[in-house]
Amino acid sequence: MPADGSLALEASAPVEPVRRPSRGAGSYSALAGFLVPVVLGLAWEAAVRFGVANGRLVPPPSVIFQTLYELAITGELYTHIKATLFRVLSGFAAGTIAGTLIGALVGYAQTARVLIDPSLQGLRAVPSIAWVPLFILWFGIFEASKITLVAVGVFFPIYLGVLGALLSVDRKIVEVGRAFRLSSFALVRRILLPSILPAYVVALRGGLGLGWMFVVAAEFMGASEGLGYLLVDGQQLGKPQQIVAAILTFAILGQLSDWLLSRLTAPFLRWQDSFVRTS
Amino acid sequence: MSARRSLLDSIGATGTAIFLGAVGIAIFLSIWTIASHSLDSAVLLPPPLTVLQTYGGLIADGSLAQDVRASIVRVFGGFLIASSTAVPLALLLAYSRILRGLVMPLIALIRPIPPIAWIPLAILWMGLGDPPSYFITAIAAFFPIFLNAFAGGASLQDEHVNAARSLGATPFALLKTVMLPSALPMIVTGLRIGLGQAWMAVVTAELVAAQSGLGYMIQISRLNLETARVLVGMTVIGLLGAVMIGLIGVFERRVIVPWHYPR
Amino acid sequence: MLSVNGLGKTYPNGTVAVRDVTLTIGAGEIVSIVGGSGCGKSTLLRLLSGLDHPTVGTVEVDGTQIVGPHPAVGIVFQEPRLLPWLTVENNIGFGLAHLSRAERRDRVHTVLKRVGLSDYGSRWPRELSGGQSQRVAIARALVTRPSVLLLDEPFSALDAFTRVELQDHLLEIWEDTRPTLVLVTHDIEEAVALASRVVVMRPFPGRVAQISDVTLARPRDRLSHAFDDEKRAILSALDTTLAHAGTLRTRPAAAVPA
């Protein structure tokens, strides 16, 4: 074979065709997904125990679990979880309602779209996090500004999701509704709403994920309780184990809430083509 | 009905879009002006004119340029770190099943943690100043770049590889002439998304952990109750972000897409 | 009875989709409209259904003018257009919201049996094959007991075997209540197998070129010479309309019911 690696026709031994590694999500990858972190955690634990590694900056699992346990016992963990959860859920509710209503209005009525959408698209260009100082100026440093930040973070994915879904509704299906002489109201209720449901659920889950992100950001600025507060407090007191414990809790809550949301909405999406269904 | 139609027809599709956009902006500015006059408080909502004047002031004394430069340097630094690690790693994992089994679980584990949650740890590990900002930005950009590059690598078609190998390609030539170009469209998509995430991360990091940059600027302005400056900062952040992502988007469409099969 | 008077449709950009169509279709007749693309046959059907509005002329069903979708007129589209979030039986019952639950259930089950899908009531549309979906679409249109059923190339998306099966099936169902059928198709064999009259249209602008009777006795044998003759006649009419300008020609036949 030419030394420079260039492609050249050459009579050489038959080449075995590449067999693509199977990409199926089998039990192997689920197992690996569980094993690898556990093995690494154990390895790190051992390294710290035997003095090979410094467990101060990157605490070993035992210290982290210890911290979690202490927080739970004193009831502190519960207080912080409750505070953060309250902010996430209120902000999610507010952002969802606003996003759904405005998205529906803009999607359904051409005039509304012309008037409202350009401004919203422009506002969207500003990363939601940049709203924090303005909200603090407007609403103060307490709950209102935090919930508003979460709401703004949730608003945009929901608004865009509803709008996009409405604009891409299958006109042929709408025509079936017209052929059966449905009133405008019946058309919305019996055809438009069900057909945007899948995209809406996707938007809801995306919004919820963003809500968790923004609540942390909100709690960075002047919170006295909450998981985000635990993060900042951990940094200020030089307790990385507290930071990791808070991150862990927060990740678990995020996954849990997403799972809950998809379970709650699943019955409404039973009819979906399994190829399309997002799990 | 027909009169409106002929007006829109005469200026064409792009013309209509610009016209409607202008109407939208006009409406937005009017509502803003009315709201700020009825609230009558420079702290709550300064009118658009004041904001424009503030723009002028900040540009004139060079402080806006300084902050912009600080943020841009950070975002590109973090972005470079992220892309130079994410792309090779992703292609490697796309190629090797063993490595994939080992490394993917780790990535899946770290991914759900939002960049902002890393800030306190980063500060503890690296101290205050610039390093945490770079770290956060890199982490934020890493995952979208990685995921898209991985998808690009995984989309490599066996037929292409077999064809190249039957023509005698060495592994290096294979990489250069088949694997990289094949993965390139998705890599660029990942870079575009990653840059957006990096920009958000930079602003976030500067809000809490920096002494310069646009995020720092709006935070300081808030503490000084200088709302006009906050608004200037916000709009500059939005504009710059849109421009940067737009540029990659253009690159994506003009340079990459012409030869890309939609799949 | 369906009467079409001087029907025309011109789009705002100037395209004349349909020009000056006058036609009377008696109750219980099966009429097929054939023609190449651009001849306006689908537009004509949509005008009959009320989904589109003519620029000139009128359509009347049993004396009532059609100005929009009408309860007496049912329509089956080229795609089944089943609502994916409703089960088969809820899809069929879609237009029966004004009835009591019991009556709706009865009617739906009856028509399900009629189209041979009794066990499929609680299935989802995604579980059905193309032929089954189209049968459900037909059931959905029929369950409201329309006096006129319009079909816009209903079987063109199906494979040849299923197509013949469903054509015969449609005829069977028609025997029950004998609604007026207007069937748009590009399949000449389908037209000859089903229709008692064939309307040949030609494009640019879309207009009726020829209306001829199909005098074969039912049940029709697709393999017979007579069948072939009819097909050939229509094919040559289509050829002619594509090749030269022609004026309206009607083959001498039994008197057109007034």
Side-chain angles (χ1 to χ4, degrees):
Chain A
M1 223 168 292
D4 63 355
S6 61
L7 298 184
L9 257 172
E10 210 174 302
S12 48
V15 174
E16 290 225 355
V18 167
R19 226 166 281 114
R20 280 276 84 189
S22 56
R23 276 168 241 152
S27 48
Y28 168 71
S29 40
L31 193 62
F34 179 67
L35 270 182
V36 175
V38 168
V39 165
L40 279 175
L42 287 173
W44 186 246
E45 182 77 44
V48 172
R49 289 282 173 97
F50 291 123
V52 175
N54 181 353
R56 192 179 59 82
L57 279 184
V58 184
S62 55
V63 176
I64 299 173
F65 286 127
Q66 171 88 352
T67 316
L68 265 175
Y69 177 73
E70 284 167 9
L71 283 170
I73 288 272
T74 56
E76 266 187 78
L77 192 63
Y78 173 71
T79 317
H80 293 302
I81 291 181
K82 203 169 64 141
T84 304
L85 211 52
F86 171 71
R87 291 167 185 141
V88 173
L89 291 178
S90 329
F92 181 69
T96 302
I97 294 175
T100 309
L101 287 177
I102 300 184
L105 178 68
V106 171
Y108 191 71
Q110 173 85 327
T111 11
R113 178 151 83 247
V114 167
L115 291 176
I116 299 179
D117 190 52
S119 312
L120 283 177
Q121 295 289 359
L123 286 177
R124 185 178 143 223
V126 177
S128 308
I129 192 79
W131 286 94
V132 172
L134 193 64
F135 285 164
I136 299 182
L137 275 172
W138 284 351
F139 306 122
I141 213 153
F142 300 114
E143 292 309 306
S145 57
K146 298 178 177 45
I147 297 179
T148 312
L149 185 70
V150 175
V152 166
V154 169
F155 173 84
F156 281 108
I158 308 258
Y159 167 77
L160 292 171
V162 172
L163 183 61
L166 276 176
L167 292 180
S168 55
V169 153
D170 189 352
R171 308 242 159 244
K172 299 191 171 164
I173 298 278
V174 176
E175 204 167 58
V176 170
R178 284 182 57 213
F180 281 106
R181 304 171 311 282
L182 295 185
S183 66
S184 299
F185 179 68
L187 209 60
V188 169
R189 185 176 64 90
R190 301 179 70 187
I191 295 202
L192 287 184
L193 278 180
S195 64
I196 65 172
L197 210 54
Y200 186 62
V201 169
V202 171
L204 281 179
R205 293 176 68 183
L208 185 60
L210 276 185
W212 280 103
M213 241 177 59
F214 285 110
V215 83
V216 172
E219 289 177 343
F220 267 36
M221 326 243 162
S224 52
E225 48 183 24
L227 293 173
Y229 164 75
L230 276 181
L231 287 177
V232 175
D233 186 57
Q235 179 247 311
Q236 286 174 340
L237 295 180
K239 288 162 111 191
Q241 59 272 28
Q242 181 175 303
I243 299 178
V244 178
I247 292 180
L248 212 58
T249 314
F250 162 84
I252 293 176
L253 283 176
Q255 297 288 64
L256 214 62
S257 58
D258 178 66
W259 176 82
L260 202 66
L261 186 59
S262 59
R263 295 301 292 167
L264 285 175
T265 51
F268 298 98
L269 300 177
R270 270 179 309 157
W271 50 267
Q272 259 194 302
D273 202 339
S274 52
F275 182 72
V276 167
R277 225 181 279 145
T278 48
S279 53
Chain B
M1 179 70 164
S2 50
R4 171 156 66 100
R5 179 154 303 180
S6 58
L7 168 67
L8 291 178
D9 279 339
S10 62
I11 53 180
T14 350
T16 314
I18 298 177
F19 174 70
L20 290 177
V23 169
I25 294 176
I27 293 175
F28 179 70
L29 287 176
S30 335
I31 297 179
W32 179 354
T33 317
I34 296 174
S36 70
H37 278 301
S38 52
L39 283 171
D40 200 28
S41 155
V43 172
L44 271 185
L45 190 63
L49 223 54
T50 315
V51 175
L52 263 159
Q53 287 170 330
T54 317
Y55 252 112
L58 287 171
I59 295 179
D61 68 15
S63 57
L64 188 63
Q66 256 185 340
D67 286 320
V68 166
R69 196 166 63 103
S71 297
I72 296 271
V73 166
R74 285 195 187 105
V75 81
F76 277 122
F79 181 71
L80 241 75
I81 298 174
S83 28
S84 53
T85 43
V87 173
L89 185 65
L91 292 180
L92 200 61
L93 289 198
Y95 185 70
S96 157
R97 187 182 185 187
I98 305 169
L99 281 180
R100 186 159 65 233
L102 284 176
V103 179
M104 274 304 230
L106 285 175
I107 297 191
L109 205 66
I110 305 184
R111 196 175 129 224
I113 304 171
I116 191 171
W118 284 103
I119 294 183
L121 265 180
I123 297 179
L124 269 185
W125 290 344
M126 306 168 198
L128 284 166
D130 271 348
S133 303
Y134 282 99
F135 179 70
I136 303 303
T137 312
I139 281 225
F142 180 87
F143 291 104
I145 299 179
F146 175 83
L147 289 172
N148 280 279
F150 179 76
S155 71
L156 180 65
Q157 297 192 312
D158 293 346
E159 307 91 66
H160 297 162
V161 174
N162 291 337
R165 286 177 80 183
S166 70
L167 288 170
T170 60
F172 180 70
L174 204 59
L175 179 74
K176 192 176 79 151
T177 57
V178 178
M179 290 175 73
L180 269 183
S182 173
L184 204 55
M186 290 224 70
I187 293 179
V188 176
T189 306
L191 290 177
R192 173 169 53 83
I193 302 176
L195 188 58
Q197 296 293 322
W199 186 235
M200 276 191 65
V202 160
V203 175
T204 311
E206 289 173 349
L207 276 174
V208 292
Q211 312 279 50
S212 65
L214 290 166
Y216 172 75
M217 172 212 172
I218 59 180
Q219 186 72 297
I220 283 290
S221 308
R222 164 187 71 95
L223 288 169
N224 293 334
L225 296 182
E226 286 170 316
T227 314
R229 289 198 180 200
V230 173
L231 291 174
V232 167
M234 283 170 65
T235 44
V236 171
I237 293 173
L239 266 164
L240 282 177
V243 164
M244 285 192 292
I245 297 179
L247 283 175
I248 297 197
V250 167
F251 174 71
E252 206 177 347
R253 275 190 301 273
R254 293 289 167 80
V255 178
I256 305 291
V257 172
W259 58 259
H260 183 215
Y261 292 131
R263 300 199 71 225
Chain C
M1 188 191 78
L2 191 62
S3 98
V4 180
N5 303 301
L7 204 61
K9 173 86 185 173
T10 308
Y11 287 110
N13 62 4
T15 324
V16 182
V18 168
R19 194 183 75 178
D20 198 24
V21 174
T22 301
L23 189 55
T24 308
I25 304 178
E29 261 202 87
I30 304 183
V31 170
S32 180
I33 306 179
V34 300
S37 50
C39 69
K41 55 189 194 293
S42 283
T43 311
L44 178 58
L45 200 75
R46 292 176 61 87
L47 291 174
L48 296 181
S49 73
L51 286 172
D52 275 344
H53 300 291
T55 22
V56 66
T58 58
V59 180
E60 284 180 20
V61 171
D62 294 331
T64 326
Q65 191 178 344
I66 298 285
V67 292
H70 192 278
V73 177
I75 180 163
V76 176
F77 301 95
Q78 191 172 352
E79 320 83 13
R81 300 200 193 180
L82 301 181
L83 305 178
W85 54 84
L86 295 179
T87 56
V88 165
E89 56 196 1
N90 286 329
N91 258 291
I92 297 179
F94 189 75
L96 300 178
H98 54 281
L99 296 178
S100 73
R101 255 235 300 223
E103 208 192 325
R104 190 161 61 232
R105 201 181 43 217
D106 279 338
R107 281 220 219 173
V108 168
H109 282 172
T110 313
V111 84
L112 260 177
K113 209 162 78 161
R114 200 65 196 82
V115 296
L117 293 171
S118 324
D119 296 328
Y120 286 72
S122 39
R123 300 270 184 107
W124 299 105
R126 64 178 157 94
E127 302 178 76
L128 302 178
S129 69
Q132 290 168 331
S133 300
Q134 201 59 305
R135 277 193 273 166
V136 172
I138 294 174
R140 178 174 66 187
L142 281 178
V143 81
T144 55
R145 302 191 184 151
S147 48
V148 176
L149 186 60
L150 308 173
L151 303 106
D152 189 356
E153 303 198 39
F155 309 131
S156 64
L158 303 169
D159 65 84
F161 302 108
T162 318
R163 215 178 297 161
V164 172
E165 206 182 289
L166 286 192
Q167 285 161 11
D168 294 337
H169 188 60
L170 181 64
L171 219 44
E172 243 180 67
I173 302 179
W174 171 75
E175 300 270 350
D176 287 348
T177 48
R178 302 237 173 174
T180 310
L181 290 187
V182 181
L183 172 75
V184 164
T185 181
H186 61 250
D187 181 352
I188 311 296
E189 184 173 317
E190 184 170 292
V192 174
L194 296 178
S196 51
R197 265 201 296 165
V198 177
V199 175
V200 178
M201 292 185 72
R202 51 175 297 227
F204 314 125
R207 60 201 181 284
V208 176
Q210 173 182 293
I211 305 180
S212 50
D213 291 332
V214 179
T215 46
L216 300 172
R218 294 191 204 274
R220 295 180 180 170
D221 182 2
R222 291 170 195 255
L223 305 172
S224 69
H225 288 301
F227 194 93
D228 267 349
D229 287 339
E230 294 283 0
K231 267 175 70 176
R232 217 171 295 126
I234 299 184
L235 272 168
S236 62
L238 273 171
D239 261 343
T240 334
T241 67
L242 290 174
H244 338 285
T247 49
L248 183 68
R249 302 195 307 270
T250 343
R251 292 233 315 262
V256 173

